[in-house]
Amino acid sequence: MIVVSQSASQTLRALRISVHGIVQGVGFRPFVYRLALRHGLTGTVANNSDGVAIHIGGPAETLDRFVAALRAEAPPMARIGRIETRRAARLPDETSFRILPSRSGARPSTQIAPDIALCADCQGEILDPTNRRFRYPFTNCTNCGPRFSIVERIPYDRPNTSMRHFPMCGDCSREYHDPLDRRFHAQPNACPVCGPRLSWRDGEGQPLPGDGLEQAALALAAGAIVAIKGLGGFHLAVDGGSHAAVATLRRRKLRPAKPLAIMVRDLATARQYCRLTDQEAALLTSAEHPIVLTALREQSGLAENIAPGLDRIGVMLAYTPLHFLLLSQPAAPKALVMTSGNHRDEPICTGNDEALQRLRGLADFFLLHDREIVTRVDDSVARIMDGRIRLLRRARGYSPVPVPLRRPTADILACGGEMKNAFCIVRDHEAYLSQHIGELTGAAQFDFFRESIDHLQAVLEVAPTRAACDRHPDYLSSRYAHRLADCREVQHHHAHIGAVMAEHGLAGPVAGLVLDGAGYGGDGTVFGGEIYRADRHGFVRLARLAHLPLPGGDRAAEQPWRMGLALLYCGLGPDGLAEPALPAGLRTLARASREMIGQMLAKGVNCPLTSSCGRLFDAVAAILGLCLESGYEGQAAMLLERQAHLATDREAAPLYPVALAEEKGVTVIGSAHLAGPLCRDLLAGVPLPALARRFHLWLAASLATVLERIRRQTGLDQVVLAGGCMQNQLLYETLAVRLRQAGFAVHGGEMAPMNDGGIALGQAYIGGCTCV
Ligand SMILES: [Zn+2]
Ligand SMILES: [Zn+2]
């Protein structure tokens, strides 16, 4: 207790202040305490079920400064929502400022903090040989460290986390109970005496001698694959400078081409490999430390099989002391490829025994520790587009921070889609979009989905009776949602639009442009290039991309060459598939395969129709010979975007014509007419980058033209951009700039991914709409 003296000459006043948001478990009360002392104010601060309650008194002007500083100087992990201030009669104690013990209330409306990257103070300590935490890989404080991944239930106190197995030593306990210490009430507080420890094992799980960090660094430098237990799960790590090590990892993980992300020690090292913008550098070093998709330097020294054929790479900075210390070892490679520790189509491993079993044969060594991971959280992935942070995968650092809903929304459980699944729980007008769950196709993933729903419902103390899901009847997520009596189906692309509307507080109607791979439309065709007039109640399809046949159905998505032939057939007829006219890339296909597809197209056998934008990208990439077989989702589009980056504006002229037609009241954006000019330009030797860029600009121009026409007819001037294809930076930025110049207000996904990882938010916003 500290006694404060006050000058009696000023007007004294008392206030009751309620602070809402993520304000518990983030050092907020000690921050308030120190702030009050600094301003010479008296009173109390306490946690309650609404957040933090402050009762404070002093000179009126000083109180104003104190309230302003609450928001301006809040601790890094706090996320302040509302601050309510009202005059109070008098103070309970006018001589000191005190932190009161927590009061338990009814249903807690307070929020759980996400896991936050190692802070600068803790980093300094683990590098300081005189500090008692020198080289200790589980160092943390109230400003950093694990939160969501170790919480078993609320309130967020040590006995309710996986740190309960580690009773604090005297030194840690003193820090924990000292309001002026950086570790005051830091629930995961630990040190080498009392906290979690590393263990270093061989590929069979047998303990090996030596210092784990040193040994792991040596093994990685020698080209081994090391399974590392991190914050929210296991990674498989290899030397990012070694082509052979990356090739081994790809072979063992059965992941031939999908781009991998790297982890480096610090920003300076990241700059050696990447050309970072200021905004990207700020995002890399933010409290969240996501993987940031950024421009790879040429001759970077990284193995080129990390992101084959691409000019962008995912990079992250070491975000736990363990990773930081590992990368600080003299022997350690400067860049580690870090991929999730799992087999294809399984969730990332979290438990030691589970990892030793499931990752056997994948990893040569294991770097384990004994702090249990309660909740599995993958790394988040973000990219800066059109000047904003856009999450491509929402997980560590971002979950479970809620998206505040500015329109009335019922408590609801939205179960998301099938690919890149995430679910969403709305409680009291706040949308908790879950961490990335993954592809909901196998039993293990489905278990992860159900467990995560149960866990988040328990932590939020909510059990919605209303549900929302995709219209696709076969999705596991849809079947799960239908167990609740009050279940609303939301069409896939309507949900995409809804997610952006939710994030930006829009009620609609908006013109929603959704470009993606595939969504269940319900009319027998596959949707994926749509413009809707949408609000929270429903939608009308105003425009779409022209139908292309999908020769072989789903197989067409894995084999872009099928789409290439389909586009040629639609534009040029059967002659388009004949040898002399065929672009060089497609000529490498076996004649029998080409003829088979030709017959399927001619007879319309097993050729469902699609307006998918993803498949249109596939078709063009195949015609240009960039991608005949797809090794991962989105590969053809990413290779096409990469080519387009190499072109100059001048090379892109002339533009391909925009071709619009009307069909049953829907505007149809023709694409078949591209086949002729693409083949002609290829034959004439126009460079691939120019062609790739022409295609992107044609697509943006076509869509903008249609949106302008729609505005003339309907007055809709709010545009929502969504769908997985919008992760294409060139397309997104070209569209956004052009639309804004034409006077539209343009909205895209930011904290909710524009791919299928965001649709649960849209389902919740639409399914939970309570207005009539
Ligand atoms: Zn810290
Ligand atoms: Zn200790």
Side-chain angles (χ1 to χ4, degrees):
M1 187 192 290
I2 298 197
V3 176
V4 180
S5 67
Q6 277 174 352
S7 125
S9 62
Q10 292 165 290
T11 328
L12 295 184
R13 194 177 278 177
L15 292 177
R16 282 188 185 277
I17 304 169
S18 296
V19 188
H20 303 260
I22 298 181
V23 288
Q24 295 186 7
V26 294
F28 203 80
R29 286 180 302 159
F31 155 70
V32 171
Y33 177 84
R34 288 190 294 269
L35 199 63
L37 292 192
R38 202 174 86 205
H39 287 88
L41 300 169
T42 60
T44 59
V45 59
N47 282 340
N48 65 15
S49 60
D50 290 328
V52 165
I54 304 166
H55 193 179
I56 195 160
E61 271 181 28
T62 316
L63 283 174
D64 289 345
R65 284 207 303 279
F66 172 85
V67 173
L70 275 181
R71 199 179 277 281
E73 298 176 27
M77 288 179 68
R79 298 282 183 284
I80 295 181
R82 267 184 352 271
I83 297 183
E84 286 162 14
T85 306
R86 59 194 166 83
R87 287 282 292 273
R90 48 179 304 216
L91 279 182
D93 173 359
E94 295 183 346
T95 57
S96 68
F97 195 88
R98 290 180 302 141
I99 297 177
L100 300 180
S102 296
R103 275 175 257 160
S104 58
R107 179 167 100 169
S109 70
T110 189
Q111 299 159 5
I112 303 154
D115 302 297
I116 290 298
L118 176 67
C119 75
D121 290 332
C122 287
Q123 194 184 96
E125 289 177 359
I126 60 177
L127 292 177
D128 174 4
T130 65
N131 191 283
R132 71 189 191 94
R133 290 191 174 83
F134 178 55
R135 299 190 76 238
Y136 182 57
F138 304 95
T139 301
N140 65 80
C141 71
T142 45
N143 299 327
C144 74
R147 296 291 186 276
F148 182 53
S149 61
I150 58 164
V151 174
E152 288 164 347
R153 55 194 162 265
I154 42 170
Y156 173 68
D157 284 324
R158 192 174 177 106
N160 290 342
T161 72
S162 57
M163 284 303 292
R164 69 193 149 91
H165 306 292
F166 303 95
M168 277 185 281
C169 68
D171 287 339
C172 285
S173 180
R174 260 190 297 285
E175 294 165 341
Y176 183 89
H177 289 105
D178 177 0
L180 290 177
D181 194 279
R182 203 172 87 247
R183 297 194 165 90
F184 178 67
H185 283 205
Q187 306 303 345
N189 188 26
C191 76
V193 174
C194 64
R197 290 175 193 195
L198 289 176
S199 83
W200 174 240
R201 312 280 186 97
D202 69 12
E204 300 297 312
Q206 295 307 309
L208 292 170
D211 175 84
L213 291 167
E214 198 177 297
Q215 295 302 315
L218 288 168
L220 287 162
I225 299 179
V226 180
I228 301 173
K229 184 178 184 182
L231 185 74
F234 274 78
H235 283 109
L236 291 168
V238 296
D239 178 0
S242 165
H243 190 282
V246 176
T248 306
L249 177 67
R250 287 195 174 284
R251 201 172 53 245
R252 290 193 197 164
K253 263 202 99 175
L254 305 176
R255 189 150 270 182
K258 194 174 178 180
L260 302 168
I262 59 165
M263 178 188 272
V264 295
R265 182 181 184 271
D266 48 33
L267 193 61
T269 316
R271 287 191 196 282
Q272 292 174 18
Y273 297 116
C274 308
R275 283 184 281 114
L276 297 174
T277 64
D278 291 347
Q279 221 179 346
E280 286 167 344
L283 181 55
L284 273 175
T285 52
S286 66
E288 291 86 0
H289 268 48
I291 294 173
V292 177
L293 217 53
T294 181
L296 183 62
R297 282 189 193 280
E298 281 166 40
Q299 254 108 62
S300 65
L302 288 176
E304 82 278 9
N305 52 350
I306 291 178
L310 301 175
D311 59 350
R312 296 288 188 274
I313 188 171
V315 60
M316 64 182 144
L317 304 187
Y319 55 85
T320 70
L322 192 165
H323 297 127
F324 180 78
L325 289 168
L326 175 61
L327 282 159
S328 300
Q329 292 291 317
K334 280 167 72 180
L336 291 178
V337 164
M338 297 285 266
T339 184
S340 47
N342 58 350
H343 281 281
R344 220 177 149 140
D345 302 327
E346 281 181 7
I348 181 170
C349 291
T350 54
N352 287 348
D353 294 341
E354 178 199 10
L356 289 171
Q357 203 175 16
R358 278 172 50 198
L359 301 182
R360 177 173 294 203
L362 278 182
D364 300 311
F365 297 96
F366 289 84
L367 184 58
L368 307 179
H369 62 72
D370 53 1
R371 186 179 70 203
E372 192 192 331
I373 297 169
V374 176
T375 297
R376 181 185 286 119
V377 195
D378 289 76
D379 293 318
S380 294
V381 183
R383 155 173 233 182
I384 306 279
M385 290 200 302
D386 195 29
R388 300 295 193 125
I389 300 168
R390 319 267 173 188
L391 292 183
L392 312 185
R393 183 163 79 198
R394 180 189 169 91
R396 176 180 52 76
Y398 297 94
S399 292
V401 179
V403 177
L405 299 176
R406 282 175 266 165
R407 309 269 172 183
T409 308
D411 287 2
I412 190 168
L413 166 67
C415 292
E418 180 166 72
M419 305 306 279
K420 299 185 170 58
N421 179 275
F423 61 89
C424 180
I425 294 174
V426 173
R427 185 189 75 175
D428 295 341
H429 311 296
E430 288 179 321
Y432 294 82
L433 184 57
S434 79
Q435 77 273 35
H436 168 81
I437 304 288
E439 325 307 357
L440 266 198
T441 46
Q445 294 283 29
F446 189 56
D447 287 345
F448 175 27
F449 169 80
R450 284 185 312 191
E451 286 161 13
S452 301
I453 291 177
D454 291 346
H455 182 64
L456 192 58
Q457 288 195 345
V459 162
L460 295 174
E461 298 198 338
V462 66
T465 54
R466 197 192 276 213
C469 67
D470 199 89
R471 272 192 196 163
H472 200 301
D474 298 333
Y475 284 179
L476 292 176
S477 55
S478 301
R479 291 197 207 152
Y480 184 87
H482 277 291
R483 301 178 333 158
L484 292 183
D486 185 6
C487 180
R488 290 134 204 251
E489 293 180 346
V490 181
Q491 197 273 331
H492 190 86
H493 300 96
H494 191 203
H496 269 301
I497 298 166
V500 178
M501 291 174 66
E503 216 182 326
H504 296 279
L506 305 174
V510 299
L513 165 58
V514 188
L515 304 178
D516 69 355
Y520 188 80
D523 70 352
T525 68
V526 181
F527 284 29
E530 318 298 320
I531 301 180
Y532 290 173
R533 177 195 189 279
D535 58 21
R536 297 180 70 188
H537 302 284
F539 67 91
V540 180
R541 195 191 204 187
L542 300 177
R544 61 168 169 82
L545 293 179
H547 284 146
L548 283 176
L550 285 165
D554 288 344
R555 293 198 65 191
E558 290 153 24
Q559 299 184 312
W561 61 267
R562 290 170 182 257
M563 294 312 300
L565 295 178
L567 184 65
L568 292 177
Y569 185 90
C570 291
L572 304 169
D575 292 349
L577 306 191
E579 193 94 8
L582 207 60
L586 291 171
R587 229 178 289 161
T588 62
L589 295 166
R591 177 189 290 267
S593 310
R594 278 189 274 134
E595 285 175 358
M596 176 190 72
I597 298 298
Q599 282 165 16
M600 286 167 71
L601 288 164
K603 294 179 186 154
V605 174
N606 195 11
C607 286
L609 296 176
T610 185
S611 53
S612 163
C613 186
R615 298 297 79 77
L616 180 58
F617 268 94
D618 287 355
V620 174
I623 290 173
L624 299 191
L626 293 170
C627 184
L628 299 183
E629 300 273 343
S630 184
Y632 55 92
E633 194 209 346
Q635 184 179 18
M638 286 162 78
L639 293 171
L640 200 57
E641 184 190 3
R642 190 266 150 120
Q643 281 297 320
H645 288 154
L646 298 172
T648 64
D649 280 326
R650 197 164 38 81
E651 280 178 331
L655 277 186
Y656 297 132
V658 172
L660 305 180
E662 294 293 319
E663 246 177 65
K664 297 178 195 160
V666 174
T667 302
V668 176
I669 301 166
S671 56
H673 67 287
L674 294 178
L678 278 174
C679 290
R680 194 185 58 229
D681 289 348
L682 262 179
L683 209 62
V686 178
L688 291 181
L691 296 181
R693 192 165 166 94
R694 279 180 204 176
F695 169 71
H696 279 82
L697 298 186
W698 164 82
L699 184 57
S702 299
L703 296 164
T705 304
V706 174
L707 286 164
E708 286 179 52
R709 182 197 269 206
I710 286 172
R711 180 171 58 181
R712 283 195 299 275
Q713 291 163 352
T714 63
L716 290 175
D717 59 0
Q718 301 272 328
V719 175
V720 159
L721 303 179
C725 298
M726 289 296 180
Q727 295 171 117
N728 179 315
Q729 186 174 17
L730 176 61
L731 177 62
Y732 187 92
E733 293 184 347
T734 307
L735 255 175
V737 167
R738 179 167 172 159
L739 291 170
R740 267 200 302 271
Q741 280 170 352
F744 287 97
V746 182
H747 310 275
E750 295 178 26
M751 289 299 106
M754 286 192 273
N755 58 43
D756 283 6
I759 64 171
L761 176 61
Q763 292 172 350
Y765 193 57
I766 291 163
C769 180
T770 52
C771 48
V772 263

